[in-house]
Amino acid sequence: MIPLEDNYIDVIGKAQRGLNISDEELAKRAAVPFEKLQRLKEGKLDEEVLARIAPVLGLGKKALLDLAKGLYYPKDPGVIPGFFHFNTRWEDMTVNNYLLWDTMTKEAAAFDTGGNCTEMLDAIKVNGLSVKYILLTHTHADHIAELGRLKRAVEAPAYCCQLEIIPGAEPFSPGKTFQLGNLSISSFLTNGHSPGGVSYYVTGGKRNLVIVGDSLFAGSMGGGNYSYTEALRNNREKILTLPDDTIICPGHGPLTTVGEEKVHNPFFAFN
């Protein structure tokens, strides 16, 4: 079971940084003692303090409290035909990469490389797949660490958003569609975490999937390093408007669904 990428302290910190709100300002605006806020951020849960700071940070109180109490973990989607999820080590963390294929034609696409693509290469060989595309969600080091090795092994072109051009990958404009047999992979811009973050929406298989990189995590989201406002807007308007049963495949942490994140993600759930 892959742990959630972020705990409630991480979520609070990302919201603070995105909104440029210091601890002192947050305590003042939430009308809570500064010392109590500090203890909360050190891991001592105080439900009253948490409830007061959540609206100041634009976070859902219930979702944030459930996260703090360890009450949220997304449901396992089970086996998805023609789809593998790899969770690989990168320095002191883990990062995901994915393999998708049409079960009839065996045409495949790899999404990101993770910190180590050995498992992916083994799966490609065992399943007799022909990789047509290597599709990058963004170009942060942990997601492209094995790009050269993967390209050499599968002899397929790599693609990245034209807003994040790197050597070894062909730039494209979001909106481009890639085809794998009966599977259609549409791309759309979900920048905010990075300048050219792209998500890929896959239809035509047993389940609809969206590979989102670090745009969105189960119970959290990637930091708005490039634009916090754009990150929130893209997640809300482009990813969370997909059908509720769409499986979200994030860059870190476990798989989740659109429906679950609309209810359980503190950045977007306000029930």
Side-chain angles (χ1 to χ4, degrees), residues 193-267:
H193 177 70
S194 68
V198 172
S199 293
Y200 300 93
Y201 183 45
V202 183
T203 57
K206 295 292 185 182
R207 297 286 301 271
N208 290 350
L209 307 102
V210 60
I211 294 91
V212 301
D214 289 358
S215 294
L216 189 68
F217 303 144
S220 186
M221 58 182 268
N225 307 345
Y226 174 70
S227 171
Y228 184 67
T229 299
E230 284 295 294
L232 287 172
R233 184 183 64 81
N234 283 321
N235 284 331
R236 184 180 298 112
E237 296 181 5
K238 297 182 181 181
I239 297 175
L240 296 180
T241 52
L242 295 172
D244 281 357
D245 62 352
T246 303
I247 296 172
I248 296 174
C249 310
H252 303 272
L255 303 179
T256 182
T257 64
V258 168
E260 289 205 74
E261 294 314 300
K262 285 162 65 175
V263 174
H264 298 291
N265 193 309
F267 289 99

Side-chain angles (χ1 to χ4, degrees), residues 84 99 101 106 120-130:
F84 280 158
L99 183 63
W101 68 94
K106 299 287 188 173
M120 177 180 279
L121 291 175
D122 289 345
I124 291 167
K125 182 177 180 180
V126 168
N127 290 275
L129 306 179
S130 173

Side-chain angles (χ1 to χ4, degrees), residues 26-28 52 70 76 87 89 115 121 128 145 167 179 181 205 225 254 262:
L26 179 57
K28 179 180 179 181
R52 285 180 174 272
D76 184 350
N87 185 243
R89 177 62 57 182
L121 291 175
Q179 203 71 29
N225 307 345
K262 285 162 65 175

Side-chain angles (χ1 to χ4, degrees), residues 3 31 42 46 51 56 104-105 139 165 172 208 230 240 248 250 255:
E42 291 168 358
D46 185 320
V56 176
M104 297 295 292
T105 66
T139 60
I165 297 174
F172 71 92
N208 290 350
E230 284 295 294
L240 296 180
I248 296 174
L255 303 179

Side-chain angles (χ1 to χ4, degrees), residues 54-219:
V56 176
L57 296 174
L59 301 172
K61 289 188 287 187
K62 184 180 184 304
L64 187 60
L65 182 59
D66 285 349
L67 188 65
K69 288 183 171 183
L71 298 178
Y72 173 59
Y73 190 87
K75 297 174 184 176
D76 184 350
V79 175
I80 304 166
F83 176 77
F84 280 158
H85 169 201
F86 306 98
N87 185 243
T88 66
R89 177 62 57 182
W90 168 257
E91 297 183 349
D92 62 345
M93 62 181 179
T94 62
V95 57
N96 296 326
N97 58 327
Y98 301 96
L99 183 63
L100 174 80
W101 68 94
D102 180 275
T103 55
M104 297 295 292
T105 66
K106 299 287 188 173
E107 293 178 338
F111 296 87
D112 292 346
T113 73
N116 187 324
C117 66
T118 297
E119 283 187 89
M120 177 180 279
L121 291 175
D122 289 345
I124 291 167
K125 182 177 180 180
V126 168
N127 290 275
L129 306 179
S130 173
V131 177
K132 289 186 64 178
Y133 317 109
I134 300 169
L135 303 177
L136 304 178
T137 60
H138 61 303
T139 60
H140 288 171
D142 51 328
H143 294 264
I144 62 168
E146 294 259 275
L147 182 57
R149 179 188 174 198
L150 184 59
K151 281 186 65 181
R152 289 191 298 270
V154 302
E155 298 182 337
Y159 294 87
C160 66
C161 177
Q162 63 185 2
L163 300 175
E164 285 188 36
I165 297 174
I166 58 167
E170 299 180 21
F172 71 92
S173 177
K176 180 178 175 64
T177 297
F178 302 86
Q179 203 71 29
L180 290 176
N182 291 319
L183 302 179
S184 181
I185 306 169
S186 58
S187 62
F188 52 95
L189 185 67
T190 47
N191 62 339
H193 177 70
S194 68
V198 172
S199 293
Y200 300 93
Y201 183 45
V202 183
T203 57
K206 295 292 185 182
R207 297 286 301 271
N208 290 350
L209 307 102
V210 60
I211 294 91
V212 301
D214 289 358
S215 294
L216 189 68
F217 303 144

